[in-house]
Amino acid sequence: MDTFEEINMKGFVEEEIDPTLDLFDEIEKLKKEKNAVILAHYYQDADIQDIADYIGDSLGLSQQAAKTDADVIVFAGVHFMAETAKILSPNKKVLLPDVKAGCSLADSCPPHLFKKFKEQYPDHLVITYVNCTAELKALSDIVCTSSNAVQIVESLPKEQKIIFGPDKNLGAYVAKKTGRDLVLWNGACMVHEIFSREKITKLKERYPEAKLLAHPECEEVILQMADYIGSTTGILKYATSRPEKEFIVATEAGILHQMQKDNPDKVFIPAPPNNACACNDCPHMKRNTLEKLYLCLKNESPEIFVPADIIERAVKPIERMLDISAQLGL
């Protein structure tokens, strides 16, 4: 097996895999042997979603990480998600198939700069979107996800002053929905910022009956066009519950796998981005592969570590989010 330094350099365990192996069977065996659970985000490759024990958005994944009785959590997602699992289950071994699976939104908010930003508003409560580093969570009062951001803000007194970060688009959406004046950090997700209004307009001309479903991380110009705005779970539930047969989906294309599985009689079209590529994949999410997941579980590496002092401070705002969500039935 690669050394710790080699894994850190590459981001994953690299070794020969017998091409005759059925990786689905091997992963199932390893899960039983190690009492492991695989948590996967909707944006993962279809093979990973199909082998996962639980598939969900950031809220659902956080809830699962907090309550699982497995000894090992394999997090098929990006780095901040695995960190969140470690914060919530510090005594469990948390693995990430590729530790270089980062997040452009998390990267857009360096903790040392956010700390200075926060100091300018000493009477403000800090709400951070879960798509951020453990260090940033440790600087927060409450963490939120796109599933519960509006409800969490609404659960606070109207006179409470709030800093919201790191996603400016989600923050602007929450401010609009709640009527609150939020101080926003200027961060964004590279995938949700590239959808093209012009291309979506042309697509709607080709599919006049199609409903446009958008994630609130999208820019306002896209949200204004949307028939429904919600988290990945919200988008999935909306499409399943509606009688319409055609949907244009403005979020990372990985969600289409579950949408199609749950609704084989419906048509789901990825919203086109404003670039030469016809896709809207997150390059970080797609760093994880079935092969990397297998080797990760087999070798129990790469493992996620979070300093104890960060865990101690970061767990409080995450638990506050989970408590509020439970009270609200989310």
Side-chain angles (χ1 to χ4, degrees):
M1 193 185 100
D2 293 330
T3 65
F4 180 77
E5 289 76 18
E6 287 171 330
I7 292 168
N8 268 356
M9 284 279 289
K10 286 182 290 201
F12 57 94
V13 174
E14 189 172 44
E15 64 180 58
E16 288 289 322
I17 298 175
D18 181 347
T20 65
L21 283 181
D22 182 323
L23 291 185
F24 285 91
D25 284 348
E26 294 302 314
I27 289 168
E28 289 295 345
K29 285 178 200 166
L30 287 168
K31 283 195 316 191
K32 289 188 180 74
E33 179 189 314
K34 297 172 185 282
N35 188 27
V37 65
I38 298 173
L39 307 182
H41 195 276
Y42 285 126
Y43 296 166
Q44 291 293 286
D45 278 338
D47 281 349
I48 293 178
Q49 292 188 43
D50 289 343
I51 195 69
D53 298 289
Y54 178 84
I55 311 155
D57 61 8
S58 293
L59 175 59
L61 291 166
S62 298
Q63 290 165 331
Q64 290 294 317
K67 71 183 185 185
T68 182
D69 57 2
D71 296 316
V72 178
I73 298 171
V74 183
F75 215 113
V78 292
H79 199 272
F80 77 79
M81 296 178 176
E83 279 186 335
T84 303
K86 186 64 179 178
I87 291 164
L88 289 167
S89 298
N91 298 320
K92 297 184 188 300
K93 182 173 277 192
V94 178
L95 309 174
L96 182 66
D98 190 327
V99 288
K100 291 201 172 176
C103 172
S104 59
L105 177 54
D107 291 345
S108 74
C109 192
H112 69 287
L113 295 181
F114 187 80
K115 188 170 184 287
K116 290 181 180 175
F117 179 74
K118 175 184 169 181
E119 286 166 0
Q120 296 173 45
Y121 305 93
D123 57 345
H124 285 53
L125 183 135
V126 177
I127 300 178
T128 51
Y129 187 28
V130 72
N131 298 31
C132 65
T133 62
E135 290 90 342
L136 203 71
K137 291 179 177 73
L139 292 168
S140 310
D141 296 296
I142 312 177
V143 169
C144 74
T145 72
S146 54
S147 293
N148 61 21
V150 169
Q151 293 92 328
I152 282 177
V153 169
E154 285 179 337
S155 75
L156 300 170
K158 281 196 166 64
E159 64 275 11
Q160 177 63 61
K161 295 178 179 178
I162 298 168
I163 293 172
F164 189 96
D167 192 287
K168 63 182 180 183
N169 294 322
L170 177 60
Y173 170 76
V174 171
K176 189 174 179 180
K177 290 286 284 185
T178 62
R180 304 290 181 96
D181 184 18
L182 308 180
V183 175
L184 305 180
W185 175 267
N186 188 26
C189 162
M190 61 187 285
V191 172
H192 290 98
E193 283 248 296
I194 61 169
F195 292 115
S196 163
R197 180 178 182 171
E198 291 72 26
K199 289 181 182 177
I200 291 173
T201 301
K202 286 178 183 172
L203 198 56
K204 282 177 78 73
E205 288 171 5
R206 282 175 55 200
Y207 298 92
E209 301 300 313
K211 294 281 186 185
L212 174 61
L213 315 181
H215 193 283
E217 285 181 38
C218 294
E219 292 184 314
E220 171 65 12
V221 68
I222 303 300
L223 298 183
Q224 285 175 358
M225 303 171 68
D227 297 291
Y228 173 79
I229 302 166
S231 66
T232 43
T233 295
I235 285 171
L236 183 58
K237 286 180 178 175
Y238 181 88
T240 301
S241 68
R242 296 292 300 184
E244 290 86 2
K245 296 295 183 186
E246 296 175 338
F247 299 88
I248 299 166
V249 185
T251 190
E252 212 274 353
I255 185 66
L256 270 66
H257 177 62
Q258 286 303 315
M259 296 179 91
Q260 204 68 72
K261 274 179 78 172
D262 291 358
N263 304 276
D265 59 329
K266 297 182 181 182
V267 176
F268 298 100
I269 309 142
N274 192 17
N275 58 24
C277 167
C279 60
N280 45 21
D281 288 336
C282 170
H284 299 290
M285 285 282 186
K286 298 306 191 273
R287 285 187 71 94
N288 296 316
T289 63
L290 193 66
E291 290 76 15
K292 287 179 186 176
L293 192 152
Y294 163 68
L295 291 173
C296 164
L297 185 52
K298 176 177 172 243
N299 295 291
E300 297 186 23
S301 181
E303 185 175 354
I304 296 298
F305 298 97
V306 179
D309 62 314
I310 297 291
I311 288 178
E312 189 180 344
R313 285 184 285 133
V315 74
K316 292 169 187 171
I318 300 172
E319 285 181 340
R320 195 166 171 192
M321 170 190 78
L322 294 174
D323 289 345
I324 293 170
S325 296
Q327 288 164 22
L328 297 171
L330 299 174

